[in-house]
Amino acid sequence: MGSLVVSKSRTCIQHLCTPWVANPLYFRPALACLPQQNIMHAVRLIINPHTQYYSTKGDKQGTEKGFTPRTRRAFPNSVFTAGTAKRTAEYLKKRAGVDTEELSPLRARGSVKVALPDHPLTPSEWAKFKESSSKPERFEMQIMEGLLATNADVNIAKSLLAYVVQDKGTLSYELLLRYLTLCVSGGHHSEVFDTYDIMRTCFKTLDTGASSLFIKGFSQTERWREALVVLEGMKKALRPSPRNYSDAITGAALHGDTETSWRLYDELLELGLVPNQDTWQCLFQSGITQQGHEDKLFSVLSYMRDNQIYPEEPLIKTIKAWFESLPDQKWNGKFSYVVPSGECKNCKASLESIQLTEEEYAELKDKVMKKVIEGSDVFKKTTTEELNIFKSFVKQRPPFDIVIDGLNVANTTPKATHSETLLAVVLELEQQGLNILVLGRKHMLQPSRNWDRQNMNKIKQKAHCFFTENISEDDPFLLYAALHSGVHCNFLSRDLMRDHKACLPDSATRRLFFKWQRGHQLVISHYVPGKRVRFQRISAYDTIVQTSGSSWHIPYDENRGDRATYEVPQKWLCLTQEH
Amino acid sequence: MMFLRSCSLALRCSCFRNPHVSIRAFSSSRTARKDAAENALDLDAWKSVMRSQALQEETKSPSRSAIDDNRELVEMWHQAGKFVPKNITDEQLEALAQLTTRSAKKKYLKFLAIKESHKITKKEKQEKKKSEREPEGEREREELKNTFLLKFWSSSADRVQSWRAAQAMRFGQPLVYDMSYEQHMSRRELENTIAQLMESEGWNRRAADPFHLHFCGLQPDGAYQRELLKRYGSHTWERLLITATERTHVEMFPQQDLVYLTADSKNVLHTFDHSKVYIVGAMVDRSIHSGVSLANAKRLKLATARLPLDEYLDWECGAKNLTLDQMMRILMTVKDTGSWKKALEFVPKRKHAGFQQESNRFMGTTKSRFVRDDSSESRFTRNDSSESRFTRNDSSESRFTRNDSSESRFPARAQNHLKNKTDGHKKQAQRAQCREDRH
């Protein structure tokens, strides 16, 4: 069974069994002798530590509701692995017996299904048709929207316009806008030109929707330069969207004017907009056919690096093709993955370490203190006295090796009382000779069923403890204590700290925080009372676009929408130069 | 709807499903060719008509301001069928020009459009009423009846209420609205706050035994003050029987008497104390700022309390912070009757599924997981970080488990599981139950 699970996993058994020497805390699954029960258990405990599992012996349903170990991949080795959140959510839905079938998408409000003609009608036929409609005043709009939704023949729409002109003597802007949408999506360029001329002359200005459509429509044709004029016109009242720029850039790139497309790209960046994947896609595409601008394209890659953006699958293929098309550089691209020790499977090179530099550390520590703990009001999360007590507490003690979020860890399993679980974890870590800090709240000191006094006393002997007020937040203290202790210090919690990350002032700091978190957060992967505590692996390498001059490593998203924002992709493109 | 659809379908069958009439189908029949010709002719007819309607070229004035651009933007959006107001004042355009992002502009315009449509419907209603009233305009003067009262005018009621309010000013229990949240609110939130304050003041005035209202920490030239004056009018504001002061509540009352009411508090207000001074934060936070008022209370070392919503109601959705007028009516009722059940009638019905059974009241939580906690601790577990900080998955899990501590629901097969009173077994029994329900 164990081998079955492994066969689905992305890392081969040889690498799973190599001891990770970097950290004594790594979970080393001795897969060969791990019974299936345990693997399943581990999966379940990761996914939902609060559920009491019970044996399904003799249960006719066997593993409940389509949960079959065969179809499941090996359990993720980190909470930060792409797809974990989604899988977990789906699994929980299954467990709860909720149908995972998508509900039929609700139609937009006010969209009424109308019968649509399948060929152009004469005005008299339209008039007859209108008589039968439920809402005569919106009749032509309804039909036009229906035609748009079904992607119908443009001639039907034309005949409708002809009828409306005959009937009312003019066409409303709204109707023309819908017609334009139909033409643009159908790629009827000459119609787009005609509609453009008419709309320009009949109306004072164009709204943003029409402008966007014209930019999109024109950029596919010979008149793509006019799209740039429309784009300029848009800037008056509103900032154009990245999509508008993307269309204009595509237009320029398609017609071989890379100068213009790069000028637009720079403008887009200056406005502080984030380019979308299509923009990069067409820039790399044009880079394949036209030489020059290599440094520009390399700067795109470093933009992705700086902003922790990962290309998606179509884009990564284009990037690979572009690298391989570079003359006399002999790039060779392979899709690969990275083993836990941080070595690329393909070229055996070590990837960048996840450790922060000293300056980054100092900055992050400062920001966490200023923004996360103090924020706009110290009293929101703590009090001034408590903060001072905590600061002196941390100063008086030697740097910790691990900081434990007591309440979070105590809640790991329902099988043991809170204090038992916490004690087991503290003992496990103490055996490894670590200097431990346990953070909790004062109510833990009140003896009760869950908080046994003797257990708490044992914990106090084995570790340093700090208990905050019951109405204070304990996470910020945890983060600060871990950061204060230095590079070697990890923290233990299942909490993903997203709300604290959100307190940070700018995205650069948030990325820094996320990097530090990936490198220093331990998560209990599985714990059965009376057995050893297991921890999830901490990543040793940083998942980010990176280069060593003669090689590039680019992580990419395998399939869209599978990755939550607090996760990182697992797939890599490895590019090496042959010599 | 079904009828209509069938109608149109029938129509479709009669007129469109004519196999002979089709552009592409070559047919020698004369009628068909005529039809096709007609169609072909008609297809581009609209273009020439529209071209003939071209606007006169306007000489564009070089001095165009952002206001003009915004006005054009709104006009064109209106023509494109977006939800924006038809008419917009220069003042509103100024406000619009100051908004930087597209979404902010859209939101503001939507707000204006809603306002406009309300105005229009109100006008229509009034006109309708007017037209209905007119025919019966000439009412005969009724015979004078023998009555001991002249017509009871509302001004008499006002006078009675004013006497009561004056009495409350002398002898009533103080209720404080803390007016120190200006910097936490956007303009719209501030306007909402003032509206709610006025509503509360109105409810208080109509009560049999009103509170003595205090608006504490009201800055003399602050936004609150400006807005209050604007809404009440300076004449009414001057004569309002409440205490409005720039002094804070800590300066006005002894500290041990003050209780700050905030939804973030861990302490539950089980009984209304007539000797205490309750403080309500005058703040509307549409973008929920949690812990702002609790932080204020902590800074001044005041006692805090929350309403016993979880103890009395099966809460379903929505935030537990209530509006100021709801707070006022709840406090009023609990002060007069001492019954939370009556008082909590004023909590919006959409937020809860009804009142809890007596049996599981004061269990402290609504999660079966914590039923075994002793009460001394269960007070904390509700808002315990470990509780509220679970990743989203956990909370979804707790949504799915049924919470019912009565054992009678379980079949006999599950009863023996319950002998061992652990949560796991409970849940397991529930799952068994759920499964049986399904099959």
Side-chain angles (χ1 to χ4, degrees):
Chain A
M1 186 61 235
S3 61
L4 231 177
V5 172
V6 173
S7 68
K8 297 260 187 244
S9 101
R10 294 194 193 122
T11 27
C12 85
I13 199 153
Q14 174 199 336
H15 290 284
L16 274 176
C17 295
T18 50
W20 298 288
V21 282
N23 194 318
L25 298 168
Y26 288 146
F27 166 37
R28 306 191 187 90
L31 278 171
C33 56
L34 201 62
Q36 170 224 342
Q37 185 61 32
N38 265 0
I39 283 263
M40 294 316 306
H41 226 96
V43 171
R44 291 171 169 188
L45 270 170
I46 286 172
I47 282 170
N48 186 357
H50 286 281
T51 317
Q52 174 87 33
Y53 295 99
Y54 48 92
S55 151
T56 48
K57 251 179 243 166
D59 194 345
K60 281 284 178 287
Q61 291 160 312
T63 45
E64 63 267 90
K65 294 170 212 93
F67 179 93
T68 48
R70 275 158 215 282
T71 55
R72 277 189 63 80
R73 305 147 86 168
F75 65 87
N77 45 18
S78 162
V79 282
F80 302 116
T81 305
T84 309
K86 198 177 172 183
R87 270 200 301 276
T88 310
E90 277 167 10
Y91 172 80
L92 281 171
K93 268 189 191 161
K94 245 184 217 167
R95 280 206 62 86
V98 175
D99 280 340
T100 41
E101 280 172 43
E102 287 299 309
L103 294 168
S104 59
L106 290 169
R107 279 209 310 266
R109 207 181 62 185
S111 70
V112 187
K113 241 188 140 67
V114 282
L116 296 170
D118 55 355
H119 62 280
L121 305 180
T122 60
S124 53
E125 282 172 329
W126 276 118
K128 235 187 267 172
F129 193 18
K130 183 172 177 172
E131 278 166 29
S132 70
S133 93
S134 54
K135 241 180 154 181
E137 67 279 5
R138 293 277 296 175
F139 170 77
E140 58 265 18
M141 285 305 300
Q142 269 185 10
I143 296 286
M144 197 54 103
E145 274 163 5
L147 293 174
L148 187 58
T150 53
N151 220 342
D153 180 21
V154 72
N155 285 329
I156 306 175
K158 278 188 181 181
S159 74
L160 174 65
L161 291 181
Y163 156 69
V164 175
V165 156
Q166 199 181 323
D167 193 34
K168 296 188 179 164
T170 183
L171 294 173
S172 71
Y173 183 87
E174 199 177 355
L175 191 63
L176 275 173
L177 188 61
R178 294 285 179 284
Y179 174 68
L180 177 65
T181 317
L182 188 73
C183 295
V184 170
S185 64
H188 305 286
H189 299 317
S190 62
E191 285 302 317
V192 174
F193 296 151
D194 286 352
T195 316
Y196 176 70
D197 295 339
I198 287 169
M199 283 175 101
R200 282 317 297 261
T201 51
C202 291
F203 301 101
K204 260 200 297 194
T205 49
L206 298 174
D207 84 307
T208 46
S211 307
S212 303
L213 283 166
F214 284 129
I215 293 171
K216 196 182 163 91
F218 279 139
S219 61
Q220 302 293 326
T221 66
E222 292 307 304
R223 288 168 66 175
W224 63 272
R225 287 190 187 278
E226 289 181 47
L228 308 186
V229 180
V230 179
L231 187 70
E232 280 305 312
M234 266 185 95
K235 286 180 197 165
K236 282 190 304 186
L238 271 185
R239 214 166 47 172
S241 70
R243 167 72 46 201
N244 299 144
Y245 271 102
S246 175
D247 289 332
I249 290 171
T250 312
L254 271 181
H255 298 88
D257 189 347
T258 43
E259 295 294 335
T260 309
S261 59
W262 281 110
R263 186 175 57 76
L264 286 167
Y265 180 76
D266 291 340
E267 204 174 284
L268 163 78
L269 289 186
E270 268 167 40
L271 285 175
L273 297 168
V274 179
N276 55 24
Q277 302 258 335
D278 300 347
T279 314
W280 292 322
Q281 170 98 14
C282 82
L283 288 174
F284 276 102
Q285 201 69 54
S286 68
I288 294 173
T289 49
Q290 278 190 314
Q291 299 310 316
H293 298 295
E294 274 79 13
D295 49 346
K296 277 280 190 189
L297 286 166
F298 281 121
S299 80
V300 168
L301 290 172
S302 66
Y303 176 87
M304 288 184 191
R305 175 190 167 87
D306 295 340
N307 292 286
Q308 215 194 336
I309 297 173
Y310 305 112
E312 283 157 14
E313 204 143 11
L315 175 56
I316 199 78
K317 283 179 179 147
T318 315
I319 291 175
K320 180 171 178 278
W322 173 74
F323 266 101
E324 285 165 348
S325 76
L326 287 176
D328 4 300
Q329 298 202 21
K330 292 187 184 161
W331 284 101
N332 183 6
K334 279 268 192 314
F335 292 117
S336 153
Y337 59 88
V338 176
V339 299
S341 58
E343 199 177 83
C344 170
K345 188 78 189 67
N346 181 42
C347 65
K348 303 285 180 285
S350 281
L351 270 77
E352 272 179 50
S353 161
I354 194 130
Q355 299 303 341
L356 274 60
T357 64
E358 284 300 324
E359 299 84 62
E360 285 173 335
Y361 240 95
E363 188 196 352
L364 188 59
K365 196 170 94 178
D366 180 56
K367 289 264 167 61
V368 165
M369 196 59 170
K370 282 217 171 70
K371 299 285 173 185
V372 180
I373 300 183
E374 290 169 17
S376 55
D377 185 357
V378 178
F379 286 91
K380 262 194 190 176
K381 291 181 175 169
T382 171
T383 61
T384 40
E385 297 98 339
E386 191 173 55
L387 189 58
N388 291 332
I389 294 168
F390 176 73
K391 277 181 180 169
S392 61
F393 171 90
V394 173
K395 271 205 191 89
Q396 283 163 13
R397 282 160 182 73
F400 305 107
D401 299 313
I402 182 147
V403 185
I404 299 177
D405 184 346
L407 281 165
N408 187 296
V409 165
N411 257 307
T412 302
T413 175
K415 288 183 179 177
T417 63
H418 292 4
S419 54
E420 280 170 11
T421 312
L422 187 54
L423 181 62
V425 171
V426 168
L427 287 175
E428 169 71 28
L429 293 169
E430 199 239 358
Q431 277 173 12
Q432 303 177 3
L434 300 175
N435 187 18
I436 307 167
L437 167 64
V438 176
L439 271 164
R441 288 207 178 97
K442 286 199 169 141
H443 72 76
M444 295 159 72
L445 298 172
Q446 293 244 328
S448 68
R449 263 202 59 175
N450 259 325
W451 300 107
D452 181 70
R453 190 197 303 255
Q454 285 161 340
N455 286 346
M456 291 310 286
N457 286 337
K458 278 183 204 156
I459 289 169
K460 281 186 201 163
Q461 285 164 17
K462 304 280 179 200
H464 300 281
C465 293
F466 186 84
F467 297 99
T468 64
E469 293 295 333
N470 292 328
I471 53 172
S472 295
E473 294 239 359
D474 51 0
D475 293 346
F477 292 127
L478 169 100
L479 297 175
Y480 182 78
L483 280 164
H484 183 90
S485 299
V487 185
H488 62 284
C489 180
N490 294 324
F491 67 99
L492 177 62
S493 173
R494 222 181 22 207
D495 190 333
L496 293 163
M497 308 281 168
R498 283 172 289 174
D499 44 350
H500 307 296
K501 192 161 60 178
C503 294
L504 293 166
D506 53 272
S507 52
T509 321
R510 283 197 281 270
R511 283 193 296 273
L512 201 62
F513 180 91
F514 185 43
K515 182 176 173 179
W516 171 77
Q517 188 186 4
R518 273 179 292 147
H520 293 84
Q521 177 162 10
L522 274 177
V523 179
I524 293 177
S525 74
H526 120 253
Y527 167 64
V528 182
K531 299 241 173 66
R532 281 196 64 175
V533 186
R534 302 281 188 200
F535 299 99
Q536 285 180 18
R537 260 201 309 273
I538 289 185
S539 172
Y541 60 93
D542 191 9
T543 308
I544 196 159
V545 177
Q546 48 194 273
T547 179
S548 66
S550 63
S551 77
W552 277 86
H553 286 93
I554 306 171
Y556 68 97
D557 273 328
E558 209 177 352
N559 31 14
R560 256 195 117 116
D562 203 19
R563 182 171 62 84
T565 50
Y566 52 88
E567 294 173 345
V568 290
Q570 299 298 298
K571 296 266 179 179
W572 290 76
L573 170 65
C574 164
L575 293 148
T576 48
Q577 269 179 307
E578 294 162 28
H579 295 295
Chain B
M1 187 64 231
M2 276 315 294
F3 168 71
L4 285 171
R5 190 172 298 166
S6 58
C7 251
S8 51
L9 271 176
L11 192 119
R12 234 176 126 168
C13 297
S14 60
C15 26
F16 315 136
R17 295 293 164 132
N18 186 347
H20 301 294
V21 185
S22 152
I23 300 182
R24 294 184 197 80
F26 176 77
S27 159
S28 60
S29 113
R30 197 182 266 184
T31 51
R33 208 181 312 154
K34 202 178 106 188
D35 263 353
E38 217 177 60
N39 274 334
L41 273 180
D42 281 348
L43 281 185
D44 284 339
W46 57 274
K47 292 182 185 173
S48 52
V49 174
M50 290 304 290
R51 281 190 179 121
S52 66
Q53 293 178 355
L55 290 174
Q56 295 304 313
E57 269 301 311
E58 287 177 45
T59 47
K60 286 198 175 165
S61 52
S63 59
R64 285 178 57 84
S65 64
I67 296 271
D68 295 337
D69 287 335
N70 273 298
R71 181 176 287 118
E72 267 181 10
L73 175 89
V74 176
E75 261 173 43
M76 290 326 285
W77 270 355
H78 186 285
Q79 287 216 8
K82 285 206 161 84
F83 196 43
V84 297
K86 202 169 175 174
N87 306 306
I88 187 162
T89 63
D90 281 358
E91 223 175 300
Q92 289 164 341
L93 279 171
E94 288 264 9
L96 184 71
Q98 266 158 24
L99 298 170
T100 46
T101 61
R102 184 184 290 233
S103 59
K105 284 189 187 207
K106 277 186 178 168
K107 265 186 198 158
Y108 182 62
L109 288 171
K110 186 182 166 185
F111 162 69
L112 292 180
I114 290 171
K115 231 167 114 171
E116 193 181 44
S117 67
H118 282 326
K119 217 172 167 175
I120 290 169
T121 45
K122 211 170 156 186
K123 255 209 173 100
E124 279 172 358
K125 260 189 187 165
Q126 277 178 346
E127 305 233 318
K128 207 173 145 193
K129 258 191 178 165
K130 222 176 173 177
S131 61
E132 278 171 5
R133 251 207 317 262
E134 270 168 10
E136 50 189 76
E138 323 79 55
R139 267 187 308 187
E140 296 155 35
R141 294 220 22 208
E142 287 171 30
E143 291 259 329
L144 286 178
K145 277 194 225 148
N146 189 1
T147 171
F148 82 106
L149 272 182
L150 289 175
K151 182 168 164 55
F152 184 78
W153 296 101
S154 58
S155 60
S156 319
D158 285 348
R159 213 167 303 128
V160 173
Q161 282 163 8
S162 299
W163 275 110
R164 277 207 200 119
Q167 206 176 351
M169 294 272 290
R170 290 290 310 277
F171 310 110
Q173 182 180 0
L175 179 72
V176 175
Y177 279 107
D178 177 12
M179 315 288 273
S180 61
Y181 295 99
E182 266 173 44
Q183 70 279 13
H184 291 284
M185 290 193 281
S186 66
R187 200 183 140 174
R188 253 182 91 185
E189 287 171 335
L190 191 101
E191 283 168 8
N192 292 336
T193 308
I194 298 301
Q196 288 180 17
L197 279 172
M198 290 175 72
E199 187 102 346
S200 319
E201 189 271 323
W203 285 113
N204 187 50
R205 201 175 343 126
R206 288 190 286 276
D209 179 17
F211 284 105
H212 175 195
L213 279 192
H214 286 73
F215 288 0
C216 286
L218 191 63
Q219 298 307 319
D221 44 4
Y224 276 116
Q225 175 86 358
R226 212 180 36 241
E227 203 65 33
L228 278 167
L229 275 173
K230 191 173 122 190
R231 294 289 306 274
Y232 269 114
S234 56
H235 179 71
T236 320
W237 176 244
E238 293 302 323
R239 300 181 51 204
L240 212 55
L241 292 164
I242 60 168
T243 303
T245 164
E246 50 184 302
R247 290 161 65 204
T248 58
H249 37 270
V250 203
E251 295 165 6
M252 301 271 293
F253 302 101
Q255 192 201 21
Q256 66 271 17
D257 287 353
L258 291 167
V259 178
Y260 211 117
L261 296 176
T262 162
D264 300 315
S265 174
K266 292 255 196 290
N267 314 319
V268 184
L269 184 68
H270 283 300
T271 48
F272 183 89
D273 189 339
H274 296 270
S275 64
K276 293 274 188 220
V277 177
Y278 290 103
I279 309 167
V280 179
M283 171 176 169
V284 171
D285 47 347
R286 286 171 169 278
S287 51
I288 294 184
H289 304 299
S290 54
V292 175
S293 52
L294 185 68
N296 262 337
K298 265 160 90 178
R299 185 178 302 110
L300 302 169
K301 297 198 169 58
L302 300 177
T304 59
R306 64 173 174 85
L307 296 181
L309 299 175
D310 286 321
E311 286 71 11
Y312 285 86
L313 301 171
D314 281 327
W315 200 264
E316 277 198 330
C317 67
K320 294 198 174 97
N321 49 0
L322 303 174
T323 62
L324 303 180
D325 50 301
Q326 283 158 10
M327 280 305 284
M328 165 58 84
R329 295 169 80 182
I330 288 169
L331 291 171
M332 201 87 227
T333 316
V334 82
K335 175 179 156 210
D336 291 344
T337 63
S339 149
W340 280 112
K341 216 176 151 100
K342 276 197 188 125
L344 296 179
E345 287 291 330
F346 296 112
V347 176
K349 296 279 178 288
R350 68 173 184 279
K351 289 191 174 184
H352 63 88
F355 283 84
Q356 281 187 14
Q357 302 302 315
E358 292 289 328
S359 60
N360 55 5
R361 169 129 359 123
F362 304 122
M363 277 301 201
T365 88
T366 51
K367 288 200 175 73
S368 55
R369 192 186 309 157
F370 290 109
V371 166
R372 59 185 180 168
D373 282 344
D374 45 24
S375 55
S376 71
E377 192 196 318
S378 59
R379 241 201 5 247
F380 299 118
T381 41
R382 250 209 76 262
N383 291 340
D384 204 327
S385 71
S386 56
E387 186 42 33
S388 57
R389 277 184 342 197
F390 288 143
T391 50
R392 207 174 305 152
N393 309 331
D394 290 294
S395 56
S396 64
E397 180 259 340
S398 59
R399 244 209 343 265
F400 294 130
T401 51
R402 296 272 286 283
N403 141 46
D404 188 341
S405 50
S406 66
E407 299 187 6
S408 56
R409 287 189 65 251
F410 302 129
R413 194 165 61 85
Q415 282 283 11
N416 53 10
H417 284 299
L418 285 170
K419 290 207 172 58
N420 190 347
K421 295 266 284 187
T422 64
D423 293 343
H425 280 289
K426 255 190 201 181
K427 276 198 178 158
Q428 170 184 343
Q430 277 168 10
R431 278 207 196 86
Q433 170 74 17
C434 285
R435 265 208 298 278
E436 277 184 19
D437 287 346
R438 268 201 299 281
H439 294 303

